[in-house]
Amino acid sequence: CVKLLQGHSWENSTSSLVLQVWNSTAWEDYAIDDPTYGQVDLRFRELTSDLLRRGPPTVLRLPAIDRSQWRISQHDILFQPWAIKELRFFETIDCKMELVGEALGSGDYPSTSTHPARNAFDGKFSTEWWSTCTTCIRGEAWIGIALPRARNVRCISLFQSGRQPAVGSSEWWASGADLSKWNGRQWTKVAEYTGLSQGAWDALRLYAHSVSP
C-alpha cells in the first residue's frame, strides 16, 4: 500500500504514477506476488480526480488489491457541508454482516476536522461527519471505508442528518449517491442510487458486481 499527499493544484500534482525499486543497476517497476491475485504491479491512475479546489488536500491510500476500499459520493450540488450521522457497509444483501475498517473522507486527513469521517461509524446519533467542502460539486464530497483485505459490499445503511450544519435554506443532504470501489489502480463506480432521504435510514442494496474493473 502507498499513501500519497499531492500538491493542491493541477500544476503541482500527477494523475498517474508507478512504484519502482532500485535493483542495484537501474530502476525497475515494482511488483508483488500475491497468492490470490498473482503478480500485481503498483500502477495507479486518475489520482487528480479527488483534488478539492475549495478544501484541504486529502491523503490518498493506494492499496494494490481490488475491493479493499469502498466509498459513496454525492450527486447533488450542495451549498453546505454534506452531513451524515451514520454509515454502514455490509457484505450480505440482508444488511447483517457489517464490514469493519478505517474510515475515509474527502479532505479528512491530514486536516483536523471537527466532524471527521469516523463520526459516521461510531454508532452515535449525537455525532456527524461533515464534508470539508461547503460548496460541493457532484462527487466532490465522499466518505467510505478501508478494509484489511478484499471484501464485497452488498448493502449500505445510510442516515443523512436531518439538521442543517449551518444557518441557511440550502440543502445539506444528497438525493442521490454513487457507490465506488477501489480496484487496485483507481476508483470505479459500481452502483448509483436515487431517492435518498434525510433524517431517516436508507437501505441501499447491490445485488451483483464484477470482481474485476
Side-chain angles (χ1 to χ4, degrees), residues 121-188:
F121 300 92
D122 62 5
K124 301 176 182 177
F125 279 92
S126 59
T127 63
E128 297 180 351
W129 170 74
W130 292 1
S131 66
T132 53
C133 61
T134 54
T135 302
C136 309
I137 62 174
R138 177 169 177 155
E140 185 175 6
W142 56 264
I143 182 171
I145 189 171
L147 303 170
R149 53 180 175 161
R151 283 289 183 264
N152 290 322
V153 168
R154 291 287 183 259
C155 177
I156 305 166
S157 290
L158 171 66
F159 196 109
Q160 298 186 86
S161 179
R163 178 173 55 92
Q164 297 183 51
V167 176
S169 58
S170 54
E171 291 186 350
W172 64 94
W173 57 280
S175 63
D178 290 334
L179 171 66
S180 299
K181 69 168 183 175
W182 178 259
N183 68 6
R185 296 181 185 273
Q186 65 189 64
W187 288 102
T188 180

Side-chain angles (χ1 to χ4, degrees), residues 15-197:
S15 63
S16 62
L17 64 82
V18 59
L19 185 66
Q20 295 186 321
V21 61
W22 181 257
N23 67 6
S24 76
T25 59
W27 289 101
E28 62 181 19
D29 292 354
Y30 178 72
I32 56 176
D33 290 316
D34 186 90
T36 301
Y37 298 94
Q39 191 175 68
V40 178
D41 62 343
L42 276 70
R43 294 177 178 270
F44 308 103
R45 300 188 293 266
E46 299 186 13
L47 302 180
T48 53
S49 62
D50 288 330
L51 282 180
L52 302 179
R53 295 306 188 105
R54 293 167 298 276
T58 301
V59 170
L60 303 178
R61 298 180 79 263
L62 308 175
I65 303 301
D66 180 36
R67 296 173 294 125
S68 56
Q69 297 183 129
W70 295 83
R71 73 183 188 186
I72 60 170
S73 56
Q74 102 291 356
H75 284 180
D76 308 66
I77 297 176
L78 304 177
F79 294 95
Q80 292 199 37
W82 191 17
I84 294 177
K85 282 191 173 294
E86 287 297 313
L87 177 63
R88 300 285 183 271
F89 293 91
F90 299 91
E91 195 169 13
T92 53
I93 202 72
D94 59 2
C95 306
K96 291 184 177 180
M97 189 178 294
E98 185 177 348
L99 296 172
V100 179
E102 178 185 352
L104 306 173
S106 54
D108 199 54
Y109 179 75
S111 70
T112 55
S113 172
T114 56
H115 297 83
R118 64 176 179 272
N119 284 1
F121 300 92
D122 62 5
K124 301 176 182 177
F125 279 92
S126 59
T127 63
E128 297 180 351
W129 170 74
W130 292 1
S131 66
T132 53
C133 61
T134 54
T135 302
C136 309
I137 62 174
R138 177 169 177 155
E140 185 175 6
W142 56 264
I143 182 171
I145 189 171
L147 303 170
R149 53 180 175 161
R151 283 289 183 264
N152 290 322
V153 168
R154 291 287 183 259
C155 177
I156 305 166
S157 290
L158 171 66
F159 196 109
Q160 298 186 86
S161 179
R163 178 173 55 92
Q164 297 183 51
V167 176
S169 58
S170 54
E171 291 186 350
W172 64 94
W173 57 280
S175 63
D178 290 334
L179 171 66
S180 299
K181 69 168 183 175
W182 178 259
N183 68 6
R185 296 181 185 273
Q186 65 189 64
W187 288 102
T188 180
K189 185 174 75 172
V190 297
E192 181 174 324
Y193 303 97
T194 58
L196 306 185
S197 58

